[in-house]
């Protein structure tokens, strides 16, 4: 993709927006437009299908940048880079929950902008390659078969440590291998046996037989630290107590 990427700028400071547009154009990217309000950005994303959105967190108007991204993500899977100027910790945490691809501090540095966009383009290409190879999974009683590039690879359920979500993809971490699948975590949660696999965070599901440490706010499996959400902790503890 690289410089073929189409980028939407959502920024209510027109000087900053114009500067961003100029820098992106010099780098060879196509700017699909500049929007200053969340509602306009939502309509633009639907009408123009940008590859990347540069989103100011602190938009003025009815919707801020985070609220705008949440609405867009309900319909479109578009990578977001947040533009931020000294946001407080609460705002940063809310923005992080929308799983942005990067943050760029204002006033932005030209090199930081160039590197962030280039890295996002690489991730987009990687996800596209996975999608085109049509990886999938078939789950049996005690094992799964991961289909990738026309081959089926057996993976015993007992060998799986945890599954991590990244939007419409999942990464399965086992004893010795890592598999990336074009499947949501919700789909994996529905298919895997609930006797062993428990959702512990919006982005993680674990094999409870592999837990090494259970803390107040985190878990550990083979030294991998996994966040534990308050909303999932009670169910996890009830499952641990039954094994």
């Amino acid at each position: 993709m690289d410089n073929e990427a189409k980028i939407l700028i959502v920024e209510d400071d027109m000087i900053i927006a114009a500067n961003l547009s100029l820098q992106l154009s010099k780098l060879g990217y196509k700017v699909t437009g500049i929007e200053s309000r969340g509602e306009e950005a939502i309509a633009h994303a639907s009408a123009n299908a940008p590859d990347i959105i540069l989103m100011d967190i602190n938009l003025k108007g009815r919707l801020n940048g985070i609220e705008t991204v949440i609405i867009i993500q309900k319909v479109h899977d578009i990578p977001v880079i947040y533009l931020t100027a000294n946001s407080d910790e609460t705002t940063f945490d809310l923005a992080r929950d929308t799983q942005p691809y990067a943050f760029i501090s204002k006033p932005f540095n030209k090199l930081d902008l160039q590197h962030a966009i280039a890295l996002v383009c690489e991730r987009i290409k990687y996800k596209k390659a996975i999608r085109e190879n049509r990886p999938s999974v078939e789950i049996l009683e005690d094992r799964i078969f991961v289909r990738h590039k026309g081959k089926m690879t057996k993976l015993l359920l007992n060998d799986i440590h945890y599954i991590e979500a990244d939007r419409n993809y999942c990464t399965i971490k086992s004893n010795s291998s890592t598999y990336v699948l074009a499947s949501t975590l919700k789909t994996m949660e529905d298919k895997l046996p609930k006797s062993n696999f428990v959702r512990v965070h919006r982005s993680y599901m674990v094999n409870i037989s592999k837990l090494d440490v259970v803390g107040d706010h985190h878990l550990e499996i083979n030294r991998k630290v996994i966040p534990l959400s308050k909303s999932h902790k009670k169910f996890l503890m009830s499952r641990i107590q039954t094994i």
Side-chain angles (χ1 to χ4, degrees):
M1 176 176 287
D2 292 342
N3 292 32
E4 298 177 4
K6 300 179 295 180
I7 302 175
L8 165 63
I9 299 171
V10 187
E11 168 62 65
D12 55 18
D13 185 319
M14 287 301 103
I15 295 177
I16 293 176
N19 192 13
L20 279 169
S21 181
L22 178 62
Q23 296 300 332
L24 291 172
S25 296
K26 286 182 177 179
L27 291 170
Y29 297 107
K30 179 182 178 181
V31 177
T32 62
I34 296 173
E35 303 293 354
S36 61
R37 294 291 183 270
E39 296 87 345
E40 297 163 355
I42 294 166
H44 185 110
S46 293
N48 297 278
D51 298 306
I52 301 169
I53 299 176
L54 288 178
M55 177 68 69
D56 179 17
I57 286 182
N58 298 311
L59 283 180
K60 299 181 179 68
R62 187 173 65 86
L63 297 173
N64 63 30
I66 300 169
E67 293 167 336
T68 301
V69 168
I70 290 172
I71 294 172
I72 291 173
Q73 287 180 341
K74 289 180 179 179
V75 182
H76 308 285
D77 183 18
I78 303 174
V80 172
I81 298 175
Y82 279 119
L83 306 171
T84 177
N86 301 319
S87 293
D88 58 80
E89 197 65 26
T90 300
T91 300
F92 177 79
D93 288 342
L94 290 172
R96 186 174 56 185
D97 283 345
T98 64
Q99 299 182 313
Y101 278 53
F103 289 85
I104 297 177
S105 297
K106 295 193 290 186
F108 71 89
N109 176 283
K110 178 182 177 181
L111 195 58
D112 289 343
L113 175 68
Q114 181 178 350
H115 288 169
I117 297 290
L119 287 172
V120 171
C121 287
E122 285 299 314
R123 288 184 64 184
I124 292 173
K125 286 197 298 183
Y126 174 66
K127 295 292 183 64
K128 182 180 179 182
I130 294 174
R131 185 169 59 250
E132 290 176 347
N133 286 325
R134 298 180 182 274
S136 63
V137 60
E138 293 182 12
I139 299 176
L140 302 180
E141 184 175 348
D142 65 342
R143 67 198 65 195
I144 66 176
F145 285 90
V146 179
R147 181 189 295 127
H148 186 50
K149 295 183 178 179
K151 297 180 180 180
M152 300 293 288
T153 301
K154 180 181 74 173
L155 176 60
L156 294 176
L157 297 184
N158 192 50
D159 288 341
I160 297 175
H161 287 185
Y162 62 88
I163 304 173
E164 181 178 2
D166 184 1
R167 294 180 171 82
N168 293 324
Y169 297 84
C170 279
T171 298
I172 299 178
K173 181 63 179 178
S174 72
N175 290 336
S176 58
S177 303
T178 299
Y179 303 91
V180 180
L181 304 175
S183 177
T184 65
L185 190 60
K186 180 64 169 63
T187 298
M188 296 300 294
E189 183 181 14
D190 290 342
K191 289 184 176 182
L192 287 169
K194 293 177 174 53
S195 56
N196 285 84
F197 291 90
V198 176
R199 187 82 166 259
V200 296
H201 184 267
R202 62 177 292 173
S203 299
Y204 286 91
M205 182 164 53
V206 302
N207 183 345
I208 57 178
S209 68
K210 298 296 182 180
L211 290 174
D212 296 316
V213 175
V214 178
D216 289 337
H217 305 292
H218 79 283
L219 309 169
E220 290 184 30
I221 298 178
N222 197 24
R223 297 186 179 180
K224 164 69 176 181
V225 177
I226 298 171
L228 173 60
S229 296
K230 183 178 180 180
S231 58
H232 294 97
K233 184 177 180 180
K234 183 176 180 181
F235 181 73
L236 171 67
M237 297 309 294
S238 70
R239 288 294 305 115
I240 292 176
Q241 291 166 7
T242 62
I243 63 173

